[in-house]
Amino acid sequence: MKKNPLFQIFIGILSFIILNNLFITTNAQTKTNKYTIVIHGGAGYISKDIPDSTRKTYLNSLKIALTIGKNILAEGGKSIDAVEQVIRYMEDNPNFNSGKGAVFTAEGKHELDASIMDGKDLSTGAVAGVTTIKHPITLARKVKEKTKYVLLAGPGADQFGKEIGVEIVNNHYFDTPRRLKNWKKRHNKKIDKHGTVGTVAIDMYGNIAAGTSTGGLSDKMHGRVGDSPLINAGTYANNKTCGVSATGIGELFIKNTVAFNISALMEYKGYTLKQAADEMIHKRLKPGSGGIIAVDKDGNYVLSFNTPGMFRGVANSKGLFEVKIWK
Ligand code: ASP
């Protein structure tokens, strides 16, 4: 039988539409009106004697950051976008140790680390030791979306940033008078070291995303990489369990695989988010190590730390909106 070419094209288009619709339906996620977002701006010894104006500045910065993320989620936006946008704001804010305001290395420079993860498909991207990228979190997302890799480090990561067209700055752009002053007094152990930033959110579709960005530990050795750009240690997200962003002494978070272990305790042992976070932060890590922020698949959250303070905030669709520094 001779086939009519027009008829064949018609059948082709029809099957494409049917298959496509089938794909969309099987991948469609139900939309609720629920969301939760948590943020941190670093954990550590934060003196309660800081001037009232400094305390207000910090709380205000946290409120702005939280509002950016909350608005994205309240409008039905994606958790991965909320995470990136909140962290971009914090990277621009000189009060935090990420982007502008990052601490100095032992050599008097800035080396930045960041990572981001989407709990929907476990896709991740990270950068370590970048020196010219204005928003390391955005470059981390580009690694996730534009390459087949998970982590780019050093000059190769900076070069990728340049090629892909993210904002490039001179390393001195990250300098701030406060960090310079502290760097000059760097042998004083009491100098504040906190300020890493992180965000975890669950959107109305039940997708969890997490991200972390940092200048690392102050006075760190050239080339030192902490937990923040390492998926499983400083950042983790999985729609089946939870999302986590950590802050503190990176080496301890790497050795204890903190972020992944919180998710694993939930998945393998049936722990609640709070039980899993308590196990890692209060039982496995020694006091003074740091803290985590996390959100689970049902929108529950924890802001847990074993240091005197952690800059943090939480907002959700039930109207909760809170920022805090100390216990
Ligand atoms: N965790 C970061 C690092 O070790 C530092 C911090 O969170 O303050 O690089």
Side-chain angles (χ1 to χ4, degrees):
M1 193 180 77
K2 206 167 163 260
K3 285 180 190 152
N4 180 339
L6 269 180
F7 179 72
Q8 279 185 305
I9 292 172
F10 173 74
I11 292 294
I13 293 175
L14 197 69
S15 355
F16 176 78
I17 293 172
I18 291 171
L19 282 174
N20 212 21
N21 271 332
L22 205 70
F23 181 76
I24 289 168
T25 331
T26 46
N27 275 280
Q29 296 179 288
T30 14
K31 191 179 177 198
T32 66
N33 51 8
K34 288 194 264 176
Y35 61 83
T36 303
I37 180 165
V38 287
I39 64 170
H40 73 75
Y45 175 76
I46 307 165
S47 168
K48 282 199 171 169
D49 297 333
I50 54 171
D52 214 36
S53 58
T54 312
R55 189 180 56 84
K56 279 190 185 138
T57 305
Y58 270 112
L59 290 175
N60 204 33
S61 299
L62 290 170
K63 278 184 197 159
I64 297 171
L66 199 55
T67 305
I68 292 171
K70 180 189 176 316
N71 287 349
I72 293 173
L73 298 169
E75 282 160 20
K78 290 189 204 159
S79 52
I80 193 93
D81 292 328
V83 166
E84 184 188 358
Q85 292 310 319
V86 169
I87 294 181
R88 277 179 71 98
Y89 163 76
M90 294 176 101
E91 286 174 342
D92 286 339
N93 185 321
N95 294 308
F96 300 108
N97 171 19
S98 67
K100 177 92 184 157
V103 295
F104 285 85
T105 63
E107 295 181 328
K109 293 184 181 146
H110 308 279
E111 295 176 12
L112 314 174
D113 304 331
S115 64
I116 194 161
M117 182 161 189
D118 193 334
K120 186 178 168 186
D121 54 7
L122 306 187
S123 61
T124 70
V127 292
V130 293
T131 57
T132 61
I133 307 298
K134 190 174 180 190
H135 297 112
I137 195 68
T138 292
L139 189 61
R141 187 164 177 188
K142 296 278 184 209
V143 171
K144 173 173 113 57
E145 280 159 21
K146 307 272 183 215
T147 78
K148 57 180 178 182
Y149 309 112
V150 159
L151 169 63
L152 292 183
D158 280 294
Q159 191 187 319
F160 171 64
K162 210 167 162 187
E163 281 165 16
I164 203 123
V166 299
E167 267 177 283
I168 302 294
V169 289
N170 182 287
N171 195 248
H172 285 301
Y173 159 82
F174 302 111
D175 294 359
T176 46
R178 169 183 156 211
R179 299 290 186 199
L180 188 62
K181 199 171 111 205
N182 286 347
W183 181 70
K184 286 185 179 151
K185 295 192 280 187
R186 61 192 177 278
H187 301 300
N188 177 352
K189 293 261 179 294
K190 282 207 172 133
I191 289 296
D192 64 321
K193 295 181 166 137
H194 43 73
T196 291
V197 306
T199 304
V200 182
I202 182 164
D203 60 29
M204 291 182 180
Y205 296 91
N207 290 323
I208 303 173
T212 312
S213 180
T214 188
L217 292 183
S218 54
D219 198 32
K220 68 185 179 183
M221 187 177 161
H222 168 51
R224 179 266 184 190
V225 174
D227 61 319
S228 309
L230 301 184
I231 295 301
N232 299 324
T235 305
Y236 189 74
N238 187 337
N239 278 7
K240 281 202 282 186
T241 52
C242 65
V244 181
S245 169
T247 174
I249 303 163
E251 285 68 16
L252 300 176
F253 283 77
I254 296 170
K255 287 179 195 166
N256 289 280
T257 328
V258 174
F260 174 74
N261 267 334
I262 291 176
S263 165
L265 285 170
M266 293 176 72
E267 187 176 355
Y268 307 151
K269 291 247 183 180
Y271 280 35
T272 64
L273 178 63
K274 180 161 184 324
Q275 286 170 333
D278 281 349
E279 175 71 32
M280 294 314 297
I281 301 301
H282 298 296
K283 294 192 190 148
R284 305 278 165 153
L285 290 176
K286 58 177 200 257
S289 310
I292 59 102
I293 55 166
V295 170
D296 76 8
K297 62 177 181 3
D298 300 313
N300 300 309
Y301 68 92
V302 293
L303 310 161
S304 178
F305 50 102
N306 59 27
T307 46
M310 178 164 82
F311 296 101
R312 62 198 188 279
V314 53
N316 67 19
S317 44
K318 290 183 199 151
L320 174 67
F321 188 98
E322 205 169 74
V323 294
K324 280 188 182 168
I325 304 177
W326 296 279
K327 286 200 170 118

